Amino acid sequence: MMNKNNQTTIKKAINFIEELSWLLDSRKGMDLKSVVSILQDTMQEQNTMQNFAKEYRSPNPNKHFLIGVLPKLFQDTRLFPVNESIATFAQEILKINISRYEKRSKYELIGLIVCETESLSDEKLSKLVDALSQITGSEEKLEKFREERKNVNFSWNETIQKLTR
């Protein structure tokens, strides 16, 4: 005679096999071998992409940092309440002249500056990237940046230098 544990295990196995056979019968048109192959290929592709992403090193990390951080900064309405403030920042800090900024949308200005960032000198951007990463990486410094922006004699260069000393 079988003990209770063995009887329970056998009943569970019977139920499992019965349910598995019903499932397989309901999917007769499905080629399970091809599904396995597709899943394996998908996993391989994903692993390849993840490995590529890990190995990728930007040839211009400063430019790519700015391309990521500038749109976030420019959308801060306390720092950049109007298009003129964006254009002034671009001129003073990035040395990018923007004509007719008052007739452009905020998003058009941001896109133009982001695109122009690609042509900037990587050497000159190093200090700016360090400064902006310090400011954007600290909510306290970002708030001080916003407060300084309200001053009458505000200067982007002076404020950035002051906050990153």
Side-chain angles (χ1 to χ4, degrees), residues 129-165:
V129 167
D130 288 342
L132 288 179
S133 66
Q134 285 181 44
I135 292 169
T136 58
S138 164
E139 190 56 42
E140 183 182 325
K141 285 187 179 185
L142 198 51
E143 193 54 44
K144 285 180 183 176
F145 201 37
R146 291 175 184 129
E147 288 300 316
E148 287 290 326
R149 175 77 179 93
K150 296 176 186 175
N151 291 337
V152 176
N153 296 327
F154 175 78
S155 163
W156 290 108
N157 276 321
E158 290 174 17
T159 303
I160 289 172
Q161 288 175 14
K162 180 178 166 183
L163 288 173
T164 56
R165 284 187 193 136

Side-chain angles (χ1 to χ4, degrees), residues 61-74 80 83-98 108-133 145 155-158 160-161:
N62 290 334
K63 291 177 185 179
H64 290 120
F65 172 82
L66 288 176
I67 288 169
V69 80
L70 288 177
K72 179 184 177 196
L73 271 179
F74 290 149
F80 300 95
N83 285 359
E84 182 180 12
S85 55
I86 295 173
T88 303
F89 178 92
Q91 171 58 48
E92 287 181 23
I93 303 300
L94 302 171
K95 307 298 183 223
I96 298 173
N97 290 319
I98 300 178
E108 186 179 0
L109 287 175
I110 293 169
L112 177 69
I113 294 167
V114 166
C115 289
E116 288 295 317
T117 299
E118 186 59 35
S119 64
L120 299 175
S121 164
D122 198 38
E123 292 173 25
K124 294 178 182 176
L125 293 178
S126 186
K127 288 181 182 177
L128 174 62
V129 167
D130 288 342
L132 288 179
S133 66
F145 201 37
S155 163
W156 290 108
N157 276 321
E158 290 174 17
I160 289 172
Q161 288 175 14

